[in-house]
Amino acid sequence: MATQYSISGTTAKGIAASVEAAVAGGDLGPGDALPPVRRLAEELRVSPGTVATAYKELRRRGVVVTRGRGGTVVAAAPAVASRRPPKVPAGLRDLAGGHPDAAFLPDPPALVAPPSGPRSHRSTPRLPRLEERVRAWFDADGVPCESVTFAHGALDCVARLLTTELRPGDAVAMEDPGYHHLLDLLQAMGLRTIAVGVDDEGMRPDLLRDALRAGARAVVCSPRAQNPYGGCFSPARRDELVEVLRQAPDVLVIENDHAAEIAGAELNSLTTGGLARWAQVRTVTKYLGTDLRWAAAACDPVTLARHDGRLLLTSGWVSHLLQAAVLTLMDDPSAQLLVARAEVAYERRRTALVKELAERGIVAHGASGMNVWVPVRDESAVVNGLRTRGWWVAAGARFRMAAAPGVRVTVAGLGTSRAAGLASDFADTLGESEATYGG
């Protein structure tokens, strides 16, 4: 019955709105099947074409997906229902959230005021001193800095860049495993993802070439601190990827250098390869403050114009108060000292865990950044096994498209003295599941 699915309406728009409301309200959850087109049409006394149009609109907006003979089902992360990580059970050490260690975050500055005097925020959207500081920031790593702009965080910037270039149904080459919020964002935008496998040096050139041949119109990748795998571009890998991308000059390449100051690895950026369409996005949330929803981007002139044109039509500019706060922390010696200490600490913690796991015969990946990726056969068995031992790690399912299973461990808050304990518990967990793991 249509009422069973909380679906009503006599027009395509009304039916789509009813399904969307049911998803947003929790009456329909991820994976729940919608009625076949003809059956719902009979129940609602509308034409099959009306229902088909409604389903098409829901697919375009990322609310549902169609699985061939499997029918139409609610998407794993529908655009109208925020997919949030599960709450950390009481008493467990949280290694799943991807958060920085609060001990290395500087205190937020007291309320700051932007330069006084009459001015037009829309005509001067960026504080000149911060813009100058940002140019120097990119330039220090060799990233071309003639064209820079600001946004309300990295995801906001990536979304705006993609919406100015692509249309629903277009394909984007994405890291696999990759950052789950980016994967969810693309689905919500109605874009298709083409999985590009990664290793310790980042995106694999052969698989990127396959993705471009399959029609990818944009590429989103991380040059270092790749989340969740931890890979970082070597000079050779950067050159290989640039060579592949030069064969597709119309493709927009977006580098997400989200952990620039704490990655623990040098930058080997695709932006130095003379690409026609490119942008590198940086933010400060991982090392200056998780509530500083600000990002900077260096890009080619065409990309800059399109991004800023869309920004002008929406929010207009990034808050000058926020810009002033970011500038204050960027120029604060004590804050910068904390950032430097964080980079060293995260590298030691990451290296310690990978070493302790290796000594117990467990392969792990974490060449840079705050996360370690551990391949496993059964994610649920590992997550639940570690939970019984007091650890909370992230199942890899939300990061993966076609990649093999694994779990992500955020090491930011894991002191080196605790690495051996976690590794031992990890080994014990795998031992208990040896039948599942083929032991």
Side-chain angles (χ1 to χ4, degrees):
M1 297 292 293
T3 54
Q4 174 186 351
Y5 298 95
S6 303
I7 299 176
S8 61
T10 57
T11 65
K13 183 177 180 180
I15 295 168
S18 175
V19 173
E20 188 169 328
V23 173
D27 295 326
L28 286 170
D32 285 350
L34 270 61
V37 168
R38 290 191 178 278
R39 189 208 307 169
L40 184 59
E42 290 176 0
E43 293 172 354
L44 298 179
R45 298 182 180 180
V46 299
S47 72
T50 298
V51 176
T53 299
Y55 282 12
K56 180 179 179 180
E57 176 63 16
L58 290 166
R59 285 195 300 272
R60 187 188 69 80
R61 297 209 304 271
V63 179
V64 303
V65 294
T66 298
R67 296 175 174 171
R69 294 184 178 180
T72 299
V73 301
V74 178
V80 296
S82 176
R83 178 172 68 169
R84 300 182 183 277
K87 291 183 178 180
V88 182
L92 299 190
R93 189 170 187 86
D94 182 13
L95 304 178
H99 306 303
D101 187 341
F104 295 116
L105 295 178
D107 292 331
L111 186 63
V112 293
S116 59
R119 65 191 186 284
S120 169
H121 290 75
R122 289 185 182 272
S123 62
T124 310
R126 296 180 290 276
L127 296 183
R129 282 186 57 213
L130 182 56
E131 184 171 351
E132 180 182 349
R133 182 72 170 76
V134 164
R135 291 183 192 278
W137 189 24
F138 283 115
D139 187 58
D141 285 321
V143 177
C145 57
E146 290 79 9
S147 301
V148 299
T149 189
F150 300 163
H152 306 90
L155 285 174
D156 173 76
C157 188
V158 172
R160 192 173 294 107
L161 291 170
L162 292 175
T163 55
T164 63
E165 298 290 328
L166 309 183
R167 296 293 179 268
D170 287 344
V172 182
M174 297 288 293
E175 297 164 328
D176 186 23
Y179 185 37
H180 62 288
H181 287 309
L182 272 174
L183 297 177
D184 291 349
L185 174 64
L186 265 63
Q187 179 175 291
M189 294 170 64
L191 300 173
R192 294 185 295 115
T193 56
I194 301 179
V196 179
V198 301
D199 57 24
D200 291 329
E201 296 183 73
M203 267 190 170
R204 289 177 46 188
D206 57 331
L207 298 181
L208 176 59
R209 182 179 291 107
D210 291 343
L212 295 176
R213 288 173 176 169
R217 294 193 55 205
V219 177
V220 182
C221 60
S222 298
R224 51 186 172 178
Q226 194 272 344
N227 188 0
Y229 205 89
C232 54
F233 292 162
S234 65
R237 176 59 59 85
R238 184 266 317 279
D239 293 345
E240 290 178 281
L241 292 170
V242 167
E243 186 60 31
V244 171
L245 291 166
R246 282 176 178 166
Q247 308 307 311
D250 295 331
V251 169
L252 175 63
V253 179
I254 303 174
E255 277 191 346
N256 181 16
D257 194 18
H258 66 282
E261 299 299 292
I262 55 168
E266 68 176 7
L267 177 66
N268 294 293
S269 175
L270 302 175
T271 67
T272 63
L275 302 177
R277 301 298 314 285
W278 61 272
Q280 193 194 76
V281 181
R282 293 185 177 184
T283 185
V284 297
T285 55
K286 295 296 185 185
Y287 41 92
L288 291 184
T290 54
D291 204 36
L292 292 175
R293 312 311 296 176
W294 170 89
C299 47
D300 68 87
V302 172
T303 299
L304 174 75
R306 292 179 179 178
H307 174 278
D308 284 6
R310 184 63 59 87
L311 180 67
L312 183 67
L313 294 173
T314 53
S315 58
W317 67 90
V318 176
S319 164
H320 283 196
L321 283 171
L322 175 59
Q323 293 185 47
V326 170
L327 179 62
T328 297
L329 289 174
M330 279 187 162
D331 288 340
D332 181 356
S334 62
Q336 294 308 307
L337 180 59
L338 278 176
V339 172
R341 288 176 177 172
E343 182 177 31
V344 173
Y346 295 159
E347 182 173 10
R348 288 175 177 170
R349 295 170 184 181
R350 188 182 66 248
T351 302
L353 180 58
V354 172
K355 176 177 178 293
E356 293 290 348
L357 289 170
E359 290 180 353
R360 292 160 177 79
I362 303 171
V363 175
H365 303 274
S368 60
M370 300 192 307
N371 299 300
V372 169
W373 178 262
V374 187
V376 299
R377 290 273 187 93
D378 188 327
E379 294 176 0
S380 295
V382 172
V383 170
N384 290 327
L386 289 174
R387 175 179 179 173
T388 65
R389 292 168 169 82
W391 307 100
W392 188 243
V393 301
R398 58 190 174 129
F399 303 94
R400 299 186 290 108
M401 290 175 278
V407 296
R408 189 191 73 172
V409 182
T410 299
V411 300
L414 182 72
T416 54
S417 63
R418 293 180 175 268
L422 174 58
S424 292
D425 286 343
F426 212 115
D428 290 344
T429 298
L430 295 182
E432 290 179 355
S433 306
E434 63 178 7
T436 301
Y437 286 85

